[in-house]
Amino acid sequence: MNFDPSWGQAGQSIQQFWQEQWGKSLQTLQQLQASAPAGLASMPGLGGVPQSWGGMMEALKSAMPQTAGAAGQSVQFDAPKLQSLQQEYVKAFQSLSDAQTIQAMLAKDKRFSKPEWSANPVAAMAAANYLLGSRMLTGMAEAVQGDDKTRSRVRFAVEQWVAAMAPSNFLALNADALNKIVETKGESLAQGISNLLADMRQGHVSMTDESLFTVGKNVATTEGAVVFENELFQLIEYKPLTTKVYEKPFLMVPPCINKFYILDLQPDNSVIRYAVSEGHHTFVVSWRNPDESLSGATWDDYIENGVLKAVSTVQDICAVPQINVLGFCVGGTMLTTAMAVLTARYTREHGQPAVKPTRSRSAAAKTTSKTTVKTEVTPFPVASMTLLTTLLDFSDTGILDIFIDENMVRLREMQMGKGGLMKGQDMASTFSFLRPNDLVWNYVVGNYLKGETPPPFDLLYWNSDSTNLPGPFYAWYLRNLYLENNLTKSGALTVCGETVDISAVKLPVYVYGSREDHIVPVSTAYASTQVLGGDLRFVMGASGHIAGVINPPAKNKRSHWLREDGEFPATFDDWTEGATEYPGSWWTDWSAWLGSHAGKQVAAPKNYGRAKAYAAIEDAPGRYVLAKV
């Protein structure tokens, strides 16, 4: 999930900062004898003397304007840590007189590792001083006293400032970019300016060559058709790839903050195509990209007219009493909420949902009865649920927690709680600044300073294809889930007229978390096992929020971890102690689990939809996914 920070729209302000510095750097290009362009003078270490430590304090305050001195108070530090850092700084600064030491420092950072940096004395000294200063600033951020949230905010603010102030971001000091200007006789500079203007027009930094991708042509290509649509979503049914399919169809619910085709990038890494090839009659929700006509849509609207409508429609199309479902990220949070609503309604009409017994077949065979009475039971509409990198317990939301507090949520409620749109590009920009060097400045340097076109990458194309969110939906989500963690509190929420209790959801659930996920920490994904009431299976995959999920078996990449004793200790650390690492993708384990809940094999349908009621509207991927923000 992406959020705009409460302390000042980090993504937008830093982008504005870059645009200003770009202009300054172009001016400074004509004065290369200067030691640094405008904007770098305040960078600690560029002063050339150890006494610049005093300026480090000012630099720290510049890095965190909203957190450095609330209510007029000065920043407080752990004195012993600060003294140790100062001694380390002086000692390290003295070592910069040795050229080999500087060269070794630059070689360890990919931004400065090319020979051009070491060969240019001005650039080498600027980079070395920057690395020393940024290391000390980071250490000072760790020495700030305060509660955990304040310290996390300081660390994040310093990380943003340090990343933005790297000499590699400034044309006048980027030795690699300057060398390329000479080699290309200025063509790289001209192309860089062209790239900058193009990105300013489209509203975001290009992370890939977007001209090489077309939705429905070389991404989102699995064959299917839209068989239902309303104001919130289109329902896509996919053409079977097997002669027989499982009798229980399979519905995927992606996050509504992104477009569904993260599950269908290319044929060789498509979760959707994999499910279809495994014999599942597969349907996917394609959320509409909200415009002003949906600016008043609420969380309840998305649950009732979105998730629950999709579930009942798949049942109706396939004429089956039960289906299997999957939710990814926020889609999993919405899906679990919908299951709690469905559970409350089912219980009121039919009593508690029947739970499949877990005893062995041999034990069941020993059970005898003098009379056998067949009772017609209406099954619960959903047979199993898969949750991928999903937040249910919001008590630990990782780095995103720094953005959420009462003031920020109240501001959003005032701005858009009754109507409005949370712009997709604002969320995407903030998400990128969670990893500023990899997802922002890396592309700024390549695209603009070097005039390069980033290589084609389907995942990054999808990442740039952002979507809006209705304001009331967004504000409700922030307060009730991120801020107050009400989904884990039985009876704290009323959704679609029903009291929500996710512990009453007794479905078999497959829970997946990614080990290096910075959006949904793996420990928080694991926490779902402590609040759901059904038969559970938890698996941890390697890598991050997206790459961990999109890991097809054919690639034979990354490991996954399982615990086969069926135990779910109170903490994730305790779970890992009993977990076993297995090489390769977790998809095969999940496929076997899903198949065990999918029923018998039946003949695959030959046509889309069902009769006139659900005739095919248009070919997949449909027109909803094509709408831009």
Side-chain angles (χ1 to χ4, degrees):
M1 180 67 185
N2 310 328
F3 291 101
D4 51 317
S6 59
W7 46 263
Q9 299 279 348
Q12 293 180 3
S13 64
I14 295 178
Q15 285 179 322
Q16 181 179 0
F17 164 86
W18 165 250
Q19 292 172 11
E20 293 172 355
Q21 293 304 324
W22 170 262
K24 293 177 182 178
S25 293
L26 287 178
Q27 295 173 8
T28 331
L29 182 61
Q30 300 174 358
Q31 302 171 345
L32 290 180
Q33 299 304 317
S35 61
L40 277 182
S42 61
M43 187 62 206
L46 285 179
V49 291
Q51 285 74 13
S52 61
W53 172 264
M56 195 86 73
M57 304 292 289
E58 294 304 316
L60 185 66
K61 292 179 181 180
S62 297
M64 47 178 196
Q66 301 300 322
T67 56
Q73 298 177 357
S74 61
V75 179
Q76 300 297 315
F77 295 89
D78 182 294
K81 286 184 179 179
L82 202 61
Q83 184 178 11
S84 176
L85 280 169
Q86 186 171 6
Q87 293 172 352
E88 181 183 346
Y89 175 77
V90 172
K91 182 179 179 181
F93 185 90
Q94 293 171 346
S95 71
L96 295 186
S97 60
D98 179 42
Q100 290 185 340
T101 299
I102 292 178
Q103 190 172 1
M105 289 177 65
L106 303 190
K108 294 178 181 178
D109 192 302
K110 63 182 181 180
R111 293 171 295 181
F112 314 116
S113 60
K114 287 192 174 182
E116 288 85 352
W117 282 93
S118 297
N120 184 320
V122 172
M125 183 55 69
N129 275 278
Y130 163 79
L131 290 172
L132 173 58
S134 60
R135 186 173 69 196
M136 293 302 105
L137 269 179
T138 302
M140 290 174 69
E142 294 294 335
V144 169
Q145 294 180 330
D147 58 73
D148 290 343
K149 194 158 192 168
T150 297
R151 286 163 53 83
S152 295
R153 283 178 166 173
V154 169
R155 283 194 296 267
F156 182 80
V158 168
E159 179 188 8
Q160 299 302 313
W161 194 78
V162 165
M165 296 304 293
S168 53
N169 299 337
F170 297 85
L171 184 60
L173 283 179
N174 190 315
D176 188 19
L178 291 173
N179 188 59
K180 190 166 186 178
I181 290 174
V182 174
E183 290 180 347
T184 63
K185 298 180 180 180
E187 289 185 11
S188 64
L189 179 60
Q191 185 59 52
I193 295 174
S194 176
N195 291 345
L196 175 63
L197 295 174
D199 281 357
M200 290 177 68
R201 286 193 295 269
Q202 71 179 8
H204 64 266
V205 176
S206 295
M207 297 182 180
T208 185
D209 187 348
E210 298 181 21
S211 66
L212 299 179
F213 295 97
T214 303
V215 177
K217 298 296 184 182
N218 55 1
V219 290
T221 60
T222 302
E223 188 175 356
V226 174
V227 292
F228 172 84
E229 67 181 36
N230 63 15
E231 72 280 1
L232 291 177
F233 74 98
Q234 289 187 318
L235 183 67
I236 301 173
E237 179 182 7
Y238 288 94
K239 182 178 180 179
L241 295 174
T242 54
T243 57
K244 289 190 175 183
V245 296
Y246 289 104
E247 64 178 338
K248 296 177 184 177
F250 179 44
L251 171 67
M252 296 186 183
V253 181
C256 59
I257 63 169
N258 299 110
K259 295 186 176 180
F260 83 90
Y261 66 89
I262 185 60
L263 299 171
D264 189 30
L265 290 172
Q266 304 281 339
D268 64 349
N269 65 357
S270 168
V271 181
I272 291 172
R273 185 177 179 85
Y274 179 77
V276 174
S277 68
E278 291 289 292
H280 295 283
H281 187 186
T282 303
F283 295 78
V284 172
V285 169
S286 174
W287 297 106
R288 182 179 170 191
N289 193 351
D291 56 18
E292 290 298 332
S293 68
L294 286 177
S295 62
T298 65
W299 182 267
D300 279 25
D301 292 332
Y302 272 78
I303 300 303
E304 187 73 75
N305 301 323
V307 180
L308 290 175
K309 184 62 177 178
V311 170
S312 63
T313 302
V314 172
Q315 283 183 281
D316 200 15
I317 290 174
C318 300
V320 293
Q322 283 190 310
I323 71 172
N324 292 302
V325 295
L326 175 149
F328 182 17
C329 189
V330 180
T333 310
M334 297 166 66
L335 182 60
T336 303
T337 305
M339 292 304 98
V341 170
L342 202 55
T343 297
R345 292 174 178 175
Y346 181 94
T347 300
R348 186 167 55 250
E349 296 177 11
H350 306 288
Q352 287 291 334
V355 180
K356 187 177 180 180
T358 56
R359 58 182 178 169
S360 66
R361 291 182 179 180
S362 58
K366 295 177 182 177
T367 303
T368 58
S369 175
K370 293 182 179 179
T371 58
T372 301
V373 178
K374 291 186 177 181
T375 305
E376 199 69 34
V377 177
T378 301
F380 188 71
V382 175
S384 77
M385 178 167 65
T386 299
L387 298 177
L388 307 180
T389 60
T390 292
L391 284 167
L392 299 183
D393 184 344
F394 287 72
S395 57
D396 177 13
T397 56
I399 192 171
L400 291 176
D401 179 65
I402 68 173
F403 302 143
I404 311 299
D405 59 20
E406 177 63 35
N407 290 335
M408 180 269 187
V409 172
R410 189 175 299 170
L411 174 64
R412 284 305 181 199
E413 289 173 334
M414 292 172 58
Q415 290 176 329
M416 58 183 67
K418 300 297 183 181
L421 292 175
M422 181 63 197
K423 293 296 184 179
Q425 193 51 53
D426 291 346
M427 292 189 292
S429 177
T430 301
F431 173 80
S432 293
F433 278 101
L434 295 179
R435 293 167 55 197
N437 284 325
D438 293 334
L439 295 178
V440 180
W441 300 109
N442 173 50
Y443 297 103
V444 164
V445 171
N447 295 1
Y448 311 150
L449 301 192
K450 298 181 183 180
E452 298 171 345
T453 300
F457 190 6
D458 53 6
L459 195 154
L460 291 178
Y461 173 78
W462 165 85
N463 190 60
S464 299
D465 195 4
S466 56
T467 60
N468 299 325
L469 270 184
F473 173 100
Y474 178 59
W476 189 97
Y477 181 64
L478 288 180
R479 173 165 297 282
N480 287 285
L481 302 187
Y482 259 90
L483 183 64
E484 299 181 359
N485 196 22
N486 286 330
L487 193 57
T488 62
K489 303 171 186 176
S490 177
L493 292 177
T494 299
V495 178
C496 302
E498 304 293 345
T499 301
V500 172
D501 180 6
I502 62 174
S503 67
V505 177
K506 304 296 184 181
L507 295 172
V509 182
Y510 191 100
V511 181
Y512 168 84
S514 290
R515 186 177 58 176
E516 288 89 30
D517 195 339
H518 62 290
I519 304 297
V520 179
V522 65
S523 58
T524 304
Y526 174 79
S528 298
T529 65
Q530 308 299 302
V531 295
L532 292 169
D535 196 14
L536 305 173
R537 185 170 181 82
F538 178 80
V539 60
M540 177 178 70
S543 197
H545 188 69
I546 300 298
V549 172
I550 310 304
N551 184 27
K555 301 284 188 181
N556 197 27
K557 294 173 60 178
R558 310 186 188 99
S559 295
H560 63 283
W561 288 259
L562 291 164
R563 183 165 171 160
E564 298 293 358
D565 60 6
E567 295 295 322
F568 296 97
T571 69
F572 170 71
D573 289 340
D574 289 339
W575 181 87
T576 57
E577 289 182 3
T580 301
E581 180 179 357
Y582 297 91
S585 173
W586 58 274
W587 287 17
T588 52
D589 179 80
W590 166 68
S591 180
W593 179 89
L594 183 61
S596 71
H597 295 285
K600 63 185 179 182
Q601 296 272 307
V602 298
K606 298 184 181 301
N607 301 301
Y608 294 118
R610 182 169 67 85
K612 295 182 179 180
Y614 297 103
I617 298 171
E618 59 188 350
D619 290 341
R623 67 187 184 282
Y624 279 16
V625 75
L626 302 179
K628 299 292 185 179
V629 296

